[in-house]
Amino acid sequence: MYEEPEVAVLRLGHRPGRDERMTTHVGLTARALGADRVYFPDNAGQSLETVADITDRFGGPFTVELTDSPNAIIREWDGRVVHLTMYGERVQDVESEIRTTHREDGEALLLVVGSEKVSFDVYEAADWNVGVTNQPHSEVAGLAVFLDRLFEGRELDREWVGAEHQVIPMETGKRVEPVDDDR
């Protein structure tokens, strides 16, 4: 997030017709909560288009890419890998170490989230296998909790560059306005 080393999210697996909404929400959550980029499987083009459109309209910086080799991204990642899984170490036990590695040691982070069963080699390749809870939950929830813990809430005050529209916070109702050019 801005001055810090990169945080990227890798979505493993995408079942067309079944995962469209979930894959899109992984990307939207990554963007909204401080990640710099998301990698989708190459068969998730519709999700890429949606997230790219939201970034164009509501600002960035944020990059969305397709990959035909998610395992190569993990293998070649120049930084540390965090696999988000309900079978991992408790987030509250490792978040400080991960935050220090990211902020103070300057290591980029790749956050890996699955869709279907994740192969054991991902668990072995990860520097940390992290669970936000050991109960069944969605990968979107796991990603959101982890990013908020990583950035300690700072992502909620992020300024968006190049936005055409902005949501105006209100107690009730919905209000989206064009961005003032003087901003």
Side-chain angles (χ1 to χ4, degrees), residues 1-18:
M1 197 170 77
Y2 294 135
E3 306 297 320
E4 297 174 8
E6 181 177 24
V7 174
V9 175
L10 172 63
R11 168 74 159 159
L12 288 181
H14 175 79
R15 298 164 289 191
R18 179 175 177 178

Side-chain angles (χ1 to χ4, degrees), residues 99-110:
R99 219 177 2 261
T100 297
T101 299
H102 179 244
R103 275 196 224 149
E104 294 175 21
D105 299 344
E107 293 279 351
L109 295 178
L110 177 65

Side-chain angles (χ1 to χ4, degrees), residues 40-84:
F40 290 146
D42 60 357
N43 64 344
Q46 184 176 347
S47 294
L48 176 140
E49 290 176 15
T50 300
V51 175
D53 177 61
I54 292 295
T55 301
D56 288 345
R57 289 190 291 140
F58 289 91
F62 188 76
T63 304
V64 56
E65 299 177 33
L66 297 180
T67 179
D68 62 355
S69 185
N71 288 334
I73 290 177
I74 295 171
R75 271 191 318 274
E76 297 166 10
W77 183 253
D78 188 20
R80 305 293 289 274
V81 177
V82 179
H83 173 220
L84 299 175

Side-chain angles (χ1 to χ4, degrees), residues 110-132:
L110 177 65
L111 311 181
V112 180
V113 296
S115 68
E116 41 199 325
K117 186 175 179 173
V118 174
S119 64
F120 192 69
D121 61 322
V122 173
Y123 288 85
E124 290 179 321
D127 295 289
W128 296 277
N129 291 291
V130 178
V132 300

